[in-house]
Amino acid sequence: MASDRQRCILVTGGAGFIGSHVVRHFVRKYPYYHIINFDKLTYAGNLENLTDIRNAPNYSFVHGDICDLGTLRALLREQKVNGIIHLAAESHVDRSIRDPFLFARTNVIGTLTLLQAAREYWDKQWEGKRFHHVSTDEVYGALELGDAPFNESTPYSPHSPYSASKASSDHFVRAYHDTYGLPVVLTHSSNNYGPFQSPEKLIPLCIHNICENKPLPIYGNGENIRDWLHVQDHAQAIDEVFHRGRNGESYNIGGGNEWENIDIVKLLIRLVDEQLGHPAGHSDKLITYVADRAGHDLRYATDTGKLRRELGWVPQHPFESGLRETVQWYLEHAEWVKNVTGCAYERYYAEMYNDK
Ligand code: NAD
Ligand code: DAU
């Protein structure tokens, strides 16, 4: 890897939910790195997520598309980029069911384009270079109730167009390592929660809808299970793997914190009602069972033993306090929520319900 003072890291998707936490983490912790946030600013990208660091001397923003090879070539060369942390993606499973081609374009072609730009610019001078691909636990498919959690050797078995596109991008990352020698690492995280997550995803959607006294849509019977991790614990894990992960290796990241969806929703009702001063049980009536997500994966759970053993990472945010602080953050940032749930968002949701 490059010496500390020579690092210029391109973070793709840095205006999104996880990307903005990764950018903030690196900008604050490594003032001698130059961090470039490269983002297309789709509906999911929002520079308001980064107002606190936007004037930092070691931060810059470049508006662009990861499918644009010419722009990437020029940027890597001009800025002498020697590290890439790749988060840009279409990330929402329900949207992928409606528009799989968009997911193939961004997640597969976009990743391939970025790999090619890195390969050309680094031109076999691999020393000091690193391409970190941020993937998901969803590539491993779905677990049954008694199954052992996913580990790094679990065979790929994606079910949704989203997870199929992420799996495909992972294969290209490995192919560039095995074929051309590109120095890569991959991480597979479980479900993240925390500030700045778009209210299209379960936790912020429920917080928003409880505040607005709107239905809380539970897909199927609500018994699907996810493993929740605080987004800042994810950012810290990316830091460890980017700097110290072994070349060509994958690392799972997760909270060891499995919850059925219905229990998460009930916990959110309790926390939001408490913070709004409502009597206990006030918002229970909002729970609404709706048609299941097509191909809905039953359960995700991640074995993070490799990351813990090799790099000493452990999550720092206990779930209930992390969730309470997240609820509080959303209640205190009504303006942010209003801006990201504008007309386009409302229209999208209306269409989604018509489809179900
Ligand atoms: P997000 O949807 O909040 O943000 C995605 C960002 O990518 C946005 O800023 C968007 O503008 C940008 N983007 C989209 N298309 C682009 C393009 N063509 N060129 C440049 N930028 C583009 O996503 P997120 O939830 O923060 O997820 C970030 C990454 O982490 C994704 O790769 C996702 O697959 C992965 N991941 C997410 C989770 C999770 O729980 N959210 C868990 C595991 C892995
Ligand atoms: O596991 C990692 C993945 O987690 C990431 O790769 C994805 O980018 C991220 O979006 C997330 O995927 P999920 O599909 O698990 O997250 P989502 O918040 O959409 O849904 C969580 C669970 O809640 C899932 O079982 C579906 C259910 N759900 C979701 C929504 C939006 C509902 O029951 N109702 C809803 O309205």
Side-chain angles (χ1 to χ4, degrees):
M1 295 276 277
S3 89
D4 280 353
R5 310 229 159 243
Q6 300 160 335
R7 278 201 188 135
C8 176
I9 303 176
L10 185 76
V11 179
T12 71
F17 164 47
I18 302 171
S20 62
H21 287 273
V22 169
V23 166
R24 180 177 298 99
H25 176 99
F26 275 76
V27 164
R28 286 196 177 148
K29 186 164 168 193
Y30 302 106
Y32 37 87
Y33 289 7
H34 178 200
I35 306 300
I36 304 172
N37 172 10
F38 184 82
D39 200 295
K40 187 178 174 183
L41 299 181
T42 68
Y43 81 94
N46 183 357
L47 290 175
E48 279 183 49
N49 298 357
L50 291 163
T51 42
D52 54 335
I53 55 110
R54 78 174 161 216
N55 294 322
N58 63 335
Y59 168 73
S60 46
F61 171 70
V62 176
H63 187 205
D65 186 335
I66 52 166
C67 297
D68 179 350
L69 184 58
T71 296
L72 287 170
R73 274 183 181 138
L75 182 64
L76 298 192
R77 195 176 50 246
E78 278 158 21
Q79 297 296 333
K80 301 187 172 55
V81 170
N82 48 28
I84 295 175
I85 304 178
H86 175 37
L87 297 107
E90 290 294 337
S91 68
H92 189 36
V93 173
D94 294 326
R95 284 180 187 264
S96 80
I97 296 168
R98 287 168 61 94
D99 190 357
F101 283 85
L102 174 62
F103 281 65
R105 179 190 183 273
T106 302
N107 299 356
V108 186
I109 302 298
T111 301
L112 177 57
T113 308
L114 189 60
L115 287 163
Q116 180 62 19
R119 176 189 161 216
E120 287 178 14
Y121 171 56
W122 292 341
D123 193 22
K124 300 198 182 80
Q125 307 298 305
W126 305 136
E127 186 59 35
K129 312 296 192 312
R130 173 138 281 184
F131 188 110
H132 182 144
H133 180 59
V134 176
S135 186
T136 170
D137 62 355
E138 295 197 19
V139 297
Y140 300 121
L143 296 167
E144 294 298 326
L145 289 185
D147 290 349
F150 305 127
N151 62 42
E152 290 79 0
S153 308
T154 302
Y156 276 32
S157 180
H159 297 131
S160 71
Y162 163 70
S163 52
S165 69
K166 291 296 289 187
S168 172
S169 68
D170 293 2
H171 292 318
F172 274 107
V173 172
R174 289 206 182 84
Y176 266 62
H177 172 263
D178 296 351
T179 308
Y180 306 113
L182 196 80
V184 306
V185 282
L186 297 91
T187 45
H188 300 272
S189 173
S190 65
N191 287 62
N192 285 211
Y193 73 96
F196 300 113
Q197 186 170 32
S198 163
E200 66 184 356
K201 308 281 169 57
L202 181 69
I203 287 180
L205 173 79
C206 288
I207 298 171
H208 176 59
N209 284 12
I210 297 167
C211 293
E212 301 266 307
N213 205 32
K214 287 183 177 163
L216 307 176
I218 314 287
Y219 297 165
N221 59 14
E223 290 172 8
N224 300 69
I225 293 171
R226 297 293 181 264
D227 168 9
W228 293 96
L229 175 73
H230 195 281
V231 62
Q232 288 166 1
D233 285 322
H234 189 181
Q236 179 61 37
I238 288 175
D239 180 345
E240 307 288 359
V241 174
F242 176 80
H243 288 104
R244 298 190 296 119
R246 281 185 293 132
N247 194 17
E249 293 287 318
S250 323
Y251 295 86
N252 285 348
I253 307 172
N257 176 41
E258 294 180 51
W259 286 73
E260 284 190 5
N261 292 338
I262 186 63
D263 292 332
I264 287 278
V265 173
K266 286 180 178 164
L267 176 56
L268 285 168
I269 288 175
R270 178 161 70 73
L271 294 174
V272 178
D273 276 347
E274 255 171 42
Q275 293 199 24
L276 292 178
H278 292 153
H282 172 84
S283 300
D284 290 351
K285 60 181 182 302
L286 300 177
I287 291 178
T288 307
Y289 289 91
V290 298
D292 207 354
R293 173 185 276 175
H296 197 174
D297 286 335
L298 176 65
R299 172 178 166 237
Y300 305 141
T302 41
D303 175 346
T304 57
K306 180 175 176 182
L307 183 57
R308 288 168 189 255
R309 275 190 312 277
E310 289 191 15
L311 303 178
W313 173 87
V314 266
Q316 300 296 319
H317 292 77
F319 185 58
E320 194 158 329
S321 58
L323 200 62
R324 179 173 278 110
E325 283 160 21
T326 300
V327 166
Q328 197 175 345
W329 185 90
Y330 279 92
L331 299 188
E332 286 168 357
H333 291 78
E335 195 61 25
W336 182 93
V337 175
K338 194 166 145 234
N339 292 344
V340 298
T341 54
C343 298
Y345 171 91
E346 297 295 349
R347 208 165 40 242
Y348 168 75
Y349 264 93
E351 283 170 19
M352 191 100 119
Y353 278 107
N354 289 339
D355 278 3
K356 277 188 168 276

